Amino acid sequence: MSELFRILVMVAAIGSSLAFGQEAASGLPWESSVDAALVRAKALKRPILICMHWNEEKACRAMLERLYKDEDVQAQMREFILVGTAPNSHAQVTVKTKSGERQVSALFGTVSCEVLIKNEKRVKELWFDTPQVTVPQHIFVGPDGKIFHRKLYQLKKSGFIKLMAEAMSIFVGDATKSLDARLKSSLRAIKSGDDQDRKEAIRLIVEHGDPRIMNLMFHTIQGIKKTKHRAKCIRHFGYSDLSASGPYLLKWLSDPDDHIKNCAVVSLEETAYTEALPDLIKLFKKTKNPEIKKDILRALGPCGEGSAKAEAILVGSAKSSKERECKAVYLSLGYGLDVDSTEARKTLTKSYHREGKKHLQKLAILLAYHRSDDEGLIPEVQKMTRKEKNGQLKSIAKKVVAKLGGGDGSFKRRDYRVFISLYADDKIIRNEVQRWLSLAGRNNNGRNGQGGRGGR
């Protein structure tokens, strides 16, 4: 990133903090003026979304009162610099801010009617030849101050999200023209290349590290029409050395499509992005999708290591009657496991005996202990598995004890089959299993070399 760009970002951030200081906690960050929005758009290289409404229009009220308050919609709207407009005064409410109480529009929530009226006049001055405006209307303006996309009339949730994705796709296409050839080629590969091209391009851009290009990459992926191709792109972020992509993976947790959400969860697990914990917990409480719930449980281990909140959810979920959820819980509890992990150890030992002849669940518990380096856990593992009759599990238990004691606790090729069985119903061959296999000298296809990646 150039020094000039860094300075512009800092200046914009300062202006943003002042402008957003008046924002209600759950409201959208509407700009205080059109001109301020243009300054920020130019500094941050981001597009503006102008939302024109009239309080007496039924379609406008429907969008303001319901659609704009939807969490998924808000997540997409926040990718733009937002400007709201209204032609007249309407009902206002009192909100509390750090500087005291103030009046804001009951419909827009974070700016006053006075600001909205001034914005409408300024929008008409800059971009309209007539005083008449059809509403609802959404106008997309680039950092250069030129309109590049617009839409009239009311939109439902799916249509509005699609409109914003289309606008971002147009914006990204225009923005890439000023990039150097290599980065431009990478973004082009993400948009229309094959899976391997996309994988390499994503890695190159993340390693390049420029937030501006990262943002363009995010919106390029959002512009891919086929969900399965977007999903594969999101899975290509799932490497521990690509943790810089964490903030963008968090955005996909708010995607309307459950498949995209799920891919983001799994990639966050693999990056072990600890800042994702609050968002993962929020999604866990909100979602009704069992696949997402199960994958979040598995992600709470690496993303929530040392967190009491994460441990409480895992311990509570260990009582689930769903075998897949239980396996995810057991694997997660292994992160940070030591002799001081009282609740986690109690849960694992109790569950081991409860699972009886369910070998895969018991294997998950042994792998949880295998993740630890605490020698003090050896007596616990030995006691827990003393009466184990399954020869394969007894062999794994010995390796767990050896590893805890600082010896050779590595797995062999013959162990691969049982590990694959453990993860088979997840549709993703986990990287950890593949790493063990690569160390044993073969990957999941039986070829020499490092383990590959699974996919949904």
Side-chain angles (χ1 to χ4, degrees):
M1 188 191 305
S2 70
E3 187 60 25
L4 175 59
F5 183 71
R6 290 181 186 277
I7 293 171
L8 288 171
V9 170
M10 290 174 65
V11 171
I14 293 170
S16 172
S17 65
L18 293 174
F20 294 174
Q22 300 176 357
E23 179 189 343
S26 60
L28 287 167
W30 300 105
E31 283 291 331
S32 59
S33 74
V34 175
D35 292 313
L38 288 167
V39 170
R40 289 192 70 238
K42 189 173 182 180
L44 297 178
K45 309 295 183 189
R46 286 173 58 190
I48 298 168
L49 168 54
I50 300 172
C51 304
M52 305 191 75
H53 293 283
W54 180 33
N55 63 296
E56 295 182 23
E57 172 61 49
K58 185 178 179 180
C60 293
R61 295 188 69 91
M63 295 194 74
L64 286 161
E65 293 175 348
R66 292 192 293 274
L67 186 64
Y68 285 11
K69 293 182 180 179
D70 183 277
E71 288 186 2
D72 296 334
V73 170
Q74 285 198 356
Q76 301 301 317
M77 290 182 73
R78 288 173 186 272
E79 295 300 318
F80 299 86
I81 293 167
L82 300 173
V83 172
T85 81
N88 60 351
S89 295
H90 49 270
Q92 296 200 124
V93 294
T94 302
V95 296
K96 292 182 179 180
T97 67
K98 292 181 180 180
S99 58
E101 294 183 344
R102 68 188 190 88
Q103 295 287 305
V104 299
S105 161
L107 294 174
F108 284 80
T110 57
V111 288
S112 67
C113 290
E114 181 183 3
V115 166
L116 296 168
I117 294 169
K118 287 181 178 179
N119 285 350
E120 172 136 335
K121 290 180 179 178
R122 186 61 173 146
V123 167
K124 288 178 178 177
E125 287 175 5
L126 293 173
W127 296 295
F128 282 83
D129 296 327
T130 172
Q132 299 299 318
V133 174
T134 301
V135 292
Q137 182 167 176
H138 295 87
I139 303 171
F140 297 89
V141 178
D144 59 359
K146 296 179 181 179
I147 293 176
F148 65 88
H149 200 44
R150 72 197 307 162
K151 184 74 174 179
L152 303 179
Y153 308 121
Q154 183 179 1
L155 291 162
K156 302 295 185 182
K157 179 177 177 177
S158 60
F160 190 37
I161 289 177
K162 183 180 178 181
L163 172 67
M164 289 187 283
E166 288 174 354
M168 271 299 183
S169 181
I170 295 170
F171 171 70
V172 168
D174 291 340
T176 56
K177 295 175 183 177
S178 62
L179 299 179
D180 66 58
R182 192 180 182 201
L183 291 173
K184 188 186 297 184
S185 175
S186 295
L187 288 170
R188 194 182 304 118
I190 291 172
K191 185 175 182 179
S192 56
D194 62 24
D195 194 49
Q196 186 60 31
D197 289 339
R198 285 170 168 155
K199 178 179 178 180
E200 293 172 359
I202 285 169
R203 176 168 285 277
L204 186 149
I205 291 173
V206 175
E207 290 177 345
H208 185 266
D210 187 330
R212 180 174 62 110
I213 311 303
M214 291 274 283
N215 199 48
L216 289 176
M217 174 178 63
F218 170 80
H219 291 298
T220 299
I221 294 172
Q222 285 296 84
I224 296 174
K225 292 183 178 180
K226 290 190 176 181
T227 299
K228 67 177 182 179
H229 292 159
R230 276 205 299 147
K232 284 186 176 181
C233 285
I234 294 166
R235 290 295 293 115
H236 288 321
F237 288 94
Y239 292 89
S240 59
D241 61 335
L242 298 184
S243 59
S245 62
Y248 299 92
L249 289 171
L250 290 183
K251 294 180 181 181
W252 279 307
L253 291 183
S254 300
D255 196 276
D257 191 293
D258 276 355
H259 184 44
I260 298 298
K261 283 190 181 85
N262 205 17
C263 288
V265 169
V266 177
S267 288
L268 283 167
E269 174 197 348
E270 291 175 328
T271 60
Y273 188 62
T274 56
E275 292 180 39
L277 182 61
D279 296 87
L280 288 172
I281 292 175
K282 183 179 179 181
L283 180 58
F284 181 79
K285 294 177 179 178
K286 177 184 176 183
T287 186
K288 295 181 180 179
N289 186 307
E291 187 74 12
I292 295 178
K293 274 188 172 292
K294 179 264 300 176
D295 282 342
I296 291 175
L297 287 172
R298 205 169 57 198
L300 289 180
C303 296
E305 186 173 340
S307 164
K309 288 184 178 180
E311 185 181 80
I313 291 173
L314 291 170
V315 168
S317 299
K319 301 173 184 177
S320 171
S321 60
K322 299 176 182 177
E323 293 182 1
R324 298 175 74 193
E325 285 192 7
C326 286
K327 285 188 291 185
V329 167
Y330 302 152
L331 291 165
S332 265
L333 285 173
Y335 287 88
L337 187 67
D338 56 35
V339 292
D340 295 323
S341 306
T342 307
E343 287 301 313
R345 289 168 52 213
K346 187 186 298 183
T347 298
L348 290 172
T349 54
K350 186 177 180 180
S351 298
Y352 192 89
H353 297 298
R354 185 189 69 186
E355 293 294 1
K357 295 182 179 181
K358 296 177 180 177
H359 300 148
L360 295 183
Q361 285 88 308
K362 294 168 82 172
L363 174 62
I365 292 171
L366 290 177
L367 291 182
Y369 281 91
H370 191 271
R371 284 193 169 125
S372 178
D373 294 317
D374 195 328
E375 189 175 0
L377 296 175
I378 291 177
E380 190 168 299
V381 175
Q382 291 174 328
K383 181 180 179 181
M384 184 172 62
T385 59
R386 185 175 296 136
K387 297 181 180 180
E388 180 58 61
K389 295 180 180 180
N390 182 283
Q392 205 165 31
L393 289 179
K394 287 180 73 173
S395 175
I396 299 296
K398 288 180 181 179
K399 291 175 182 177
V400 171
V401 169
K403 195 250 185 181
L404 291 173
D408 182 13
S410 60
F411 298 109
K412 309 301 180 185
R413 284 198 298 261
R414 62 177 175 270
D415 300 315
Y416 175 62
R417 186 170 295 174
V418 69
F419 293 140
I420 289 302
S421 297
L422 176 64
Y423 291 111
D425 57 0
D426 286 350
K427 301 179 183 177
I428 294 178
I429 302 174
R430 307 298 300 129
N431 283 354
E432 187 170 13
V433 173
Q434 294 189 338
R435 179 169 56 82
W436 291 335
L437 184 61
S438 69
L439 293 174
R442 55 182 285 187
N443 66 10
N444 62 302
N445 291 318
R447 298 188 298 268
N448 291 333
Q450 294 184 349
R453 294 181 56 74
R456 291 198 180 281

